Amino acid sequence: MLNLEVKISAKEEAYPIYIEQDKIENLKSKIAKHLRGNKVLVVISEKVEKLYGKLLGFSKEEKFVLKDGEKEKNFNNYKKILEKAFEMKLTRKDAIIAIGGGVAGDIAGFAAATYMRGIDYIQVPTTLLACVDSSVGGKTAIDTSFGKNLIGSFYQPKAVFINLNFLKTLDERQFKTGLGEVVKYIFIEKSCFCKEELNFSNFINENTEKILSRNLNTLEILIESCIKLKIAVVEQDEKELGLRKILNFGHTLGHAIEKITNYKKYTHGEAVVEGIRFAFKLAEKRGLIDKNYRFFADDILKKFYFRQITKLPENKLLEAMKMDKKSADGKIIFILPIDYSIVKEVSLNSDEIF
Ligand code: GLY
């Protein structure tokens, strides 16, 4: 079992991230060691409940089963989770446990952040995307009709339990969407200022087949590397005042694609990969990189056979990008590559984009 730690500030206690391949039935007792009270509210994704509910061993009364899909990360479910917490009479010593992908983690985390001004929560990510991104770093949120994640808070979990066994049953499209967030780290690695040199692009290039066939030992190293990079960033800039924005590489266009297709047609990772391709083209057009680096990026992306995005109307994409919480003063903020594994923030007018 690997044990990483996140230390946000001198005032706050560090929290552990466990990465392991132990039996799923052992998780509950491991989680129990991180609880202060004797009650838990488990927010669990419906798919995970069907596959692993019995093995996990939480009672029906403790569980709030959340349907799958981004549209479930809404006000109504947030309200229902809080109502369930009140019905269960959770106190400030008790905890919420999120078991599932990013949707379960984000909404459960936001409920934990706001219930009685904040109670403990534990993340058990079961998708690749949640393992490498959303379960680490304390971003919690719900969506509104105005956009994704527009209501939320930065609120760190007490512990994160990553069990590789969940990834065995993840459907192929969900697995690939996680890989979309994984490849992002290749292009931002040096900008993360992680003390350890991971050479992530070499690792990905040398292990593509094992990654695609879900070799668990390879995935364990892959997840560990992504998390080390993410921890490095989050520890330097929890609240996304500067450095953390680099984690949005590929997301400016990616979020716009998701939004104008109503979060239905493409997954988050598919949209982010398209956003990464676009960021490379834009950087080349602006003379920030040469074509060889763009070819290098295209070659890596091709190896994973990501789903192609059909051409979407530029005016709608622009409109959506302006609404994004990353844009300011009518300008659209992009994270663009400037050298191998190095990115920078660039603020552009609408007419400088397409
Ligand atoms: N998902 C990007 C971040 O956590 O900042």
Side-chain angles (χ1 to χ4, degrees), residues 133 136 139 184 230 240 244 247-248:
D133 186 43
V136 179
K139 275 190 180 175
K184 172 186 88 177
K230 181 147 189 186
E240 203 172 300
R244 188 163 179 169
L247 298 176
N248 295 323

Coordinates of all heavy atoms in Angstrom, one line a residue, residues 133 136 139 184 230 240 244 247-248, ligand 1:
D133 N -7.7 13.0 -10.4 CA -8.0 14.4 -10.3 C -9.0 14.8 -9.2 O -8.6 15.4 -8.2 CB -8.5 14.9 -11.7 CG -8.7 16.4 -11.8 OD1 -7.8 17.1 -11.3 OD2 -9.7 16.9 -12.3
V136 N -8.6 14.5 -5.2 CA -7.5 15.1 -4.6 C -7.5 16.7 -4.7 O -7.7 17.2 -5.8 CB -6.2 14.6 -5.2 CG1 -4.9 15.2 -4.5 CG2 -6.1 13.1 -5.1
K139 N -11.5 20.4 -4.2 CA -12.5 21.2 -4.9 C -13.8 20.4 -4.8 O -13.9 19.2 -5.1 CB -12.2 21.3 -6.4 CG -11.3 22.4 -6.7 CD -11.2 22.6 -8.2 CE -10.3 23.8 -8.6 NZ -10.1 23.9 -10.0
K184 N -3.1 15.0 -19.6 CA -2.9 16.4 -19.3 C -1.5 16.6 -18.5 O -0.8 17.5 -18.8 CB -4.1 16.9 -18.5 CG -3.9 18.2 -17.9 CD -5.1 18.5 -17.0 CE -4.9 18.1 -15.6 NZ -6.0 18.4 -14.6
K230 N -0.3 16.5 -8.8 CA -1.4 17.3 -8.3 C -1.1 17.8 -6.9 O -1.4 19.0 -6.6 CB -2.7 16.5 -8.4 CG -3.9 17.4 -7.9 CD -5.2 17.1 -8.6 CE -6.2 18.2 -8.1 NZ -7.5 18.0 -8.6
E240 N -6.4 28.2 -6.1 CA -6.3 28.5 -7.5 C -6.2 30.0 -7.8 O -6.8 30.6 -8.6 CB -7.6 28.0 -8.3 CG -7.3 27.8 -9.7 CD -8.5 27.1 -10.5 OE1 -8.8 26.0 -10.1 OE2 -9.0 27.7 -11.4
R244 N -2.4 26.9 -9.6 CA -3.3 25.8 -9.7 C -4.1 25.8 -11.1 O -4.6 24.9 -11.6 CB -4.3 25.7 -8.6 CG -5.2 24.5 -8.6 CD -5.9 24.2 -7.3 NE -6.8 23.1 -7.4 CZ -7.3 22.5 -6.4 NH1 -7.1 22.9 -5.1 NH2 -8.1 21.4 -6.5
L247 N -3.7 23.3 -13.9 CA -4.5 22.0 -13.9 C -5.7 22.1 -14.9 O -6.3 21.1 -15.2 CB -5.0 21.6 -12.5 CG -3.9 21.3 -11.5 CD1 -4.5 21.0 -10.1 CD2 -3.0 20.2 -11.9
N248 N -6.0 23.4 -15.3 CA -7.1 23.6 -16.2 C -6.6 23.5 -17.7 O -7.3 23.9 -18.6 CB -7.7 24.9 -16.0 CG -8.4 25.0 -14.7 OD1 -9.0 24.0 -14.2 ND2 -8.3 26.1 -14.0
Ligands
GLY1 N1 -9.5 19.7 -11.5 C1 -8.6 20.8 -11.4 C2 -8.2 21.1 -10.0 O1 -8.4 20.3 -9.1 O2 -7.7 22.2 -9.8

